[in-house]
Amino acid sequence: MVIFPEEGGLLNSNQHGFMKKRSCLTNLLETLEEWTKSLDEGYGIDVIYLDYRKAFDSVPHKRLIEKLKGYRLHSKAIIWIENFLQKRQMRVRVRGSFSKWVEVISGVPQGSFLGPLLFLLYVNDLPSWIQSSMKLFADDTKVWRKIGKAEGSSLLQSDLHSIEEWSESWQLRFNPDKCKVMHVGHQYNTSYEMLDNGVAKLLEEVTEEKDLGCLLHRI
């Protein structure tokens, strides 16, 4: 049984957030190395930057525990984490007045060591749902695919549908209005869409994007 996910090799190799010997720098270096190789081979690249709706606050506790059991974490550790998440309450203060206390049924506690680790475990299987390349830094997620001709974009669109299926299954929503696509090294007329409350929306196309603190420009 796994007790420490990172030491047990449980965490996905595409994840670079809150892990030993991994950082924003390793994420960017590996990403740019793959992009440069594709461009040298004569391909273009379509990159999609995904944006969650309040990622850390939206993780459902029951589904999180379900995932932890699937990862075969030590049973005592799962019971401890379940107790850690339960019976949390919150209220809102506005101009000195407080709302009623309500039970918190989602979200990983921020400001704790355990909170980020639980989030990493919750999104750990996301890369396995798609065929395209993906890199993550906690909730910062980008997915891309080589584009040799315009039709190649259909495979990336198919992966977006798979990502939406994952989102629906695990109740961690994306915000299509803030998801963006950048075309690198090609002039094909490719476009992508995601569902927003059942309505298909084209993703915004950008020529530059801030990626983990670095401003990347398309070529």
Side-chain angles (χ1 to χ4, degrees), residues 51-58 172-177 195-197:
D51 185 86
Y52 289 100
R53 299 182 190 269
K54 299 181 179 179
F56 280 74
D57 294 331
S58 301
L172 198 60
R173 307 298 186 186
F174 291 98
N175 185 357
D177 286 334
L195 294 177
D196 188 7
N197 294 321

Side-chain angles (χ1 to χ4, degrees), residues 105-195:
I105 60 174
S106 66
V108 292
Q110 299 185 49
S112 66
F113 171 80
L114 190 58
L117 177 59
L118 293 176
F119 183 83
L120 297 191
L121 289 171
Y122 198 73
V123 301
N124 194 48
D125 64 322
L126 179 54
S128 67
W129 281 61
I130 65 173
Q131 299 181 54
S132 300
S133 299
M134 175 181 282
K135 291 292 180 188
L136 307 93
F137 188 92
D139 59 327
D140 283 293
T141 306
K142 53 183 173 279
V143 56
W144 69 88
R145 193 172 190 91
K146 295 189 293 187
I147 304 296
K149 52 184 178 179
E151 294 77 25
S153 64
S154 62
L155 298 174
L156 184 52
Q157 180 63 66
S158 177
D159 280 339
L160 278 181
H161 291 323
S162 296
I163 288 172
E164 289 178 313
E165 290 179 19
W166 179 91
S167 173
E168 183 67 26
S169 297
W170 297 105
Q171 301 296 296
L172 198 60
R173 307 298 186 186
F174 291 98
N175 185 357
D177 286 334
K178 293 186 178 181
C179 295
K180 301 175 183 178
V181 57
M182 184 164 64
H183 309 295
V184 182
H186 73 85
Q187 299 296 325
Y188 296 116
N189 186 25
T190 57
S191 61
Y192 303 91
E193 62 182 29
M194 296 181 73
L195 294 177

Side-chain angles (χ1 to χ4, degrees), residues 59-71:
V59 175
H61 292 166
K62 290 185 178 180
R63 282 179 168 80
L64 172 59
I65 296 301
E66 180 184 340
K67 277 205 169 185
L68 296 182
K69 291 177 180 178
Y71 290 139

Side-chain angles (χ1 to χ4, degrees), residues 12-94:
N12 196 293
S13 61
N14 293 299
Q15 177 64 256
H16 289 250
F18 308 110
M19 295 176 63
K20 292 180 180 178
K21 299 181 180 180
R22 288 175 174 261
S23 63
C24 294
L25 181 59
T26 59
N27 181 303
L28 290 169
L29 287 174
E30 290 185 11
T31 297
L32 294 176
E33 178 68 22
E34 289 191 33
W35 292 1
T36 300
K37 181 180 179 182
S38 297
L39 293 172
D40 287 344
E41 293 173 347
Y43 293 97
I45 307 164
D46 277 348
V47 187
I48 296 175
Y49 289 91
L50 299 172
D51 185 86
Y52 289 100
R53 299 182 190 269
K54 299 181 179 179
F56 280 74
D57 294 331
S58 301
V59 175
H61 292 166
K62 290 185 178 180
R63 282 179 168 80
L64 172 59
I65 296 301
E66 180 184 340
K67 277 205 169 185
L68 296 182
K69 291 177 180 178
Y71 290 139
R72 298 183 69 244
L73 295 181
H74 197 286
S75 58
K76 290 185 178 180
I78 293 178
I79 293 173
W80 187 90
I81 292 171
E82 193 168 13
N83 290 333
F84 174 69
L85 295 173
Q86 287 178 345
K87 297 182 180 179
R88 290 181 174 271
Q89 293 184 318
M90 63 172 289
R91 62 178 179 173
V92 178
R93 178 182 178 181
V94 179

